[in-house]
Amino acid sequence: SFLAAKAANILAEKLHFIDGSNEAKFMICRASVEKDDLLTARFILSKVYGEERIRILLCISEHFLFPLEQRAHFENAFPLLTEAVNSSKSIGSSKWYYESLLTLSKYYFIKGDLAKGRDAIRQVISSCEKASDFANEAHYWSELGTYMPKADSTLQEIIHSHDMAFNCYLKVGNTAEAAYSLRDKAYAEIDMNQLDIAEKDGLQAISMMKSIKRRPSFRTYAMMD
């Protein structure tokens, strides 16, 4: 809660516990934006630096992007995201550079600029690919497939993104996430009316989940009907 986070921040500052203070400030920021208290959130932003500032920039920017009813003000996210991208790049934080570009891609997708949204997240994927960082590459392929707006013109790209995520997750031995990516690919194949392929992929996803004792969701089973 807001009060608990505030108390934790006061205690952490008294003890000079920087990590604890940063985490408490983030909790205060998140609680503030949930209450639409942007004044407090921006005050917290003025008190933090480095990676923690980027983290809070993204927290505030996502307030303008999600949920749907907030999107009338989504343009307010852009200057925050621009700062997050530039700052994370300047301090050499690949983690927050990736997350900043991902959030920027969501902004462009909401705006309807598919090319810029795709380019932002493909920058991350390309960087992961060059570093042979297959775990992160898989994650961001999955995010691209998830956040790319669905339309007749984008379904094939969504399918491709989930397929790439599936293959990358297999490379690092993450059977659970590979199965979820295959399931998501099957959902997109159903939307594209590729029913035979969707059934094959869906059944394989269920089999993979069962092999690691994960219970497939009702929705996953329903996909097979």
Side-chain angles (χ1 to χ4, degrees):
S1 71
F2 179 83
L3 292 177
K6 193 171 181 181
N9 182 52
I10 292 171
L11 178 59
E13 287 186 343
K14 283 183 178 179
L15 297 173
H16 303 290
F17 179 29
I18 296 174
D19 287 346
S21 178
N22 283 341
E23 188 61 30
K25 285 183 174 69
F26 176 74
M27 290 168 61
I28 293 171
C29 178
R30 187 168 61 184
S32 298
V33 296
E34 286 174 358
K35 296 189 299 180
D36 208 25
D37 180 6
L38 295 180
L39 191 63
T40 298
R42 288 185 181 276
F43 174 76
I44 294 296
L45 179 64
S46 71
K47 298 296 181 182
V48 292
Y49 307 92
E51 290 188 335
E52 190 61 21
R53 180 175 176 85
I54 297 162
R55 187 184 184 198
I56 289 180
L57 282 166
L58 296 182
C59 178
I60 298 173
S61 68
E62 289 209 334
H63 168 76
F64 295 114
L65 302 181
F66 306 102
L68 291 174
E69 56 268 21
Q70 294 292 133
R71 288 186 176 177
H73 308 290
F74 80 96
E75 288 287 1
N76 292 336
F78 187 71
L80 301 170
L81 291 171
T82 300
E83 182 184 344
V85 170
N86 291 337
S87 295
S88 57
K89 191 173 183 179
S90 68
I91 66 174
S93 174
S94 58
K95 173 186 175 181
W96 291 108
Y97 183 57
Y98 291 172
E99 285 301 297
S100 297
L101 283 173
L102 172 63
T103 312
L104 181 63
S105 76
K106 296 174 187 178
Y107 161 82
Y108 281 127
F109 286 149
I110 291 167
K111 189 177 181 179
D113 193 333
L114 298 187
K116 286 186 178 178
R118 179 193 299 112
D119 288 349
I121 197 165
R122 287 298 294 263
Q123 284 183 57
V124 178
I125 291 168
S126 178
S127 180
C128 294
E129 187 178 21
K130 288 176 183 175
S132 297
D133 183 358
F134 299 119
N136 265 324
E137 184 183 348
H139 171 70
Y140 289 105
W141 274 119
S142 180
E143 295 284 64
L144 178 57
T146 298
Y147 288 102
M148 171 74 73
K150 283 186 180 180
D152 289 345
S153 60
T154 62
L155 280 173
Q156 193 57 57
E157 185 168 0
I158 291 170
I159 291 170
H160 172 72
S161 297
H162 288 307
D163 188 52
M164 292 297 291
F166 169 72
N167 288 313
C168 287
Y169 277 128
L170 286 182
K171 285 181 182 178
V172 295
N174 192 334
T175 303
E177 291 300 330
Y180 295 138
S181 292
L182 192 59
R183 175 203 62 190
D184 293 340
K185 176 174 177 261
Y187 288 147
E189 287 164 343
I190 289 172
D191 290 336
M192 204 167 179
N193 206 33
Q194 296 178 350
L195 302 184
D196 289 344
I197 301 173
E199 181 179 18
K200 174 179 171 291
D201 286 340
L203 289 172
Q204 184 180 349
I206 289 172
S207 176
M208 291 172 69
M209 290 176 193
K210 287 181 175 179
S211 74
I212 54 172
K213 297 181 171 52
R214 293 285 182 97
R215 180 176 295 178
S217 67
F218 174 77
R219 185 180 173 219
T220 303
Y221 279 119
M223 175 176 62
M224 297 295 96
D225 290 342

